[in-house]
Structures are given as C-alpha cells and as structure tokens.
Amino acid sequence: MDLTPDTALIVIDVQQGFDDPGWGPRDNPDAEANIGRLVDAWSAAGRPIVLVRHDSREAGSTLAPGAPGNALKAVVADAPHDLFVTKHVNSAFYGQPDLHGWLSERGIRSLVVCGIQTNMCVETTARMAGNLGYEVALPIDATHTFDLEGPGGERIAAADLARATAVNLHGGGFAEVVATSDLIRVVA
C-alpha cells in the first residue's frame, strides 16, 4: 500500500458513550489499542490527524453534548490533531468545520479512516470519501461495532456486520481494507 506523506488519519467517534452496555455486544476488543497505534504513528511521522466527535441530537443519548459519554476516550482525548470536527449525522463530511474544504485547501487526497462504529459512521465517511475522489484505506481492525437488529427482529452479530462493511467498501471500490500493522509499516 502506498501512502502519500500528507495522508490524513480520520479518527471517527472514539467516545466514552460507546462503552455504555446499552449498545449491546461488540466485536474487536483491540480496536481502541489499534486506533492508538495509528494516532501514535501519524503523530510521530508528522502526518495530519483529524478527530471527529458525534454530537447526538437525540434526547437522552449518551453521545449528546454535555453528557459524559460525549467525551473522547482516553486513547484519543489528548491526541495531537490538526482539525477537530463535530457532527450529528453519520458522515464526517457533514460536520463542522467542513472536512472536505479543509482537506481540499491542503491538497490532501489520501485518507485513512478508523473509529466507531464500523458499519455506521466509519463506513458512511469512507463511502463518501470514495465518492468525493479520495484514495481511502480502512484498517478494519481499528474499528468496532455492535450487534444490530433489523426488520422482523433479525439480529446480525457485530463481527458479521464488520465483515459486510469490509466487503462493501473493498469490493465496491470505496476503500482498500487493510490491517493496522500494514499501515504502521508504511508510515514508520
């Protein structure tokens, strides 16, 4: 995998509210450690880092501004970053300040997207980035999600949802799905 020196690391919604047991069973207990490894590598290499926080507008949400769960997890809370985006929808490209504008002003065309939830905000942001013409890498082991119930009460396990996201993004041409260790080797 080739990364340009200005490849930006986009860290999505690594927030304390996702530790609430109400979300249900999750996959990938190593996600936060891998996110931390990526942040450390990007920081050491002087590459751009963008932190994104979901500011929910749903009443009673653990991710609502002012709620303890809105805060970033310790692994990224004090991370150096070049831009901090807040959003209230799935895509970081619909947040403030304008992520696409910021990247475009700097000529950044290559992104690594990681964070929480794999099949929600991470996948949506990666898809949109691909649609906008960015080269996107998604380290699937630096994401996690939760079991999800769909129509008719059908429940899909978090690990299956993550696999589906990997296939959708990689097979659909939106992103190259990789492992954290592959990116660390390229950045170091």
Side-chain angles (χ1 to χ4, degrees), residues 16-115:
Q16 293 179 20
F18 286 115
D19 290 337
D20 187 299
W23 290 97
R26 70 172 264 189
D27 69 335
N28 193 12
D30 296 327
E32 288 85 353
N34 287 328
I35 291 165
R37 291 175 56 214
L38 289 168
V39 168
D40 290 347
W42 251 252
S43 179
R47 292 175 183 245
I49 299 172
V50 176
L51 298 180
V52 180
R53 184 184 70 210
H54 190 87
D55 287 349
S56 178
R57 292 183 173 173
E58 291 182 35
S61 171
T62 60
L63 303 177
N70 183 258
L72 297 177
K73 292 185 178 196
V75 69
V76 297
D78 296 323
H81 56 278
D82 301 278
L83 182 67
F84 188 84
V85 174
T86 59
K87 63 179 183 58
H88 59 270
V89 296
N90 299 104
S91 177
F93 286 99
Y94 285 116
Q96 292 298 319
D98 175 26
L99 176 59
H100 180 56
W102 186 85
L103 294 166
S104 296
E105 286 171 7
R106 285 152 186 78
I108 297 172
R109 301 302 308 154
S110 177
L111 310 176
V112 170
V113 180
C114 65

Side-chain angles (χ1 to χ4, degrees), residues 120-135:
M120 299 289 182
C121 297
V122 173
E123 182 174 351
T124 303
T125 299
R127 281 176 179 263
M128 225 175 142
N131 284 167
L132 290 168
Y134 292 96
E135 291 185 30

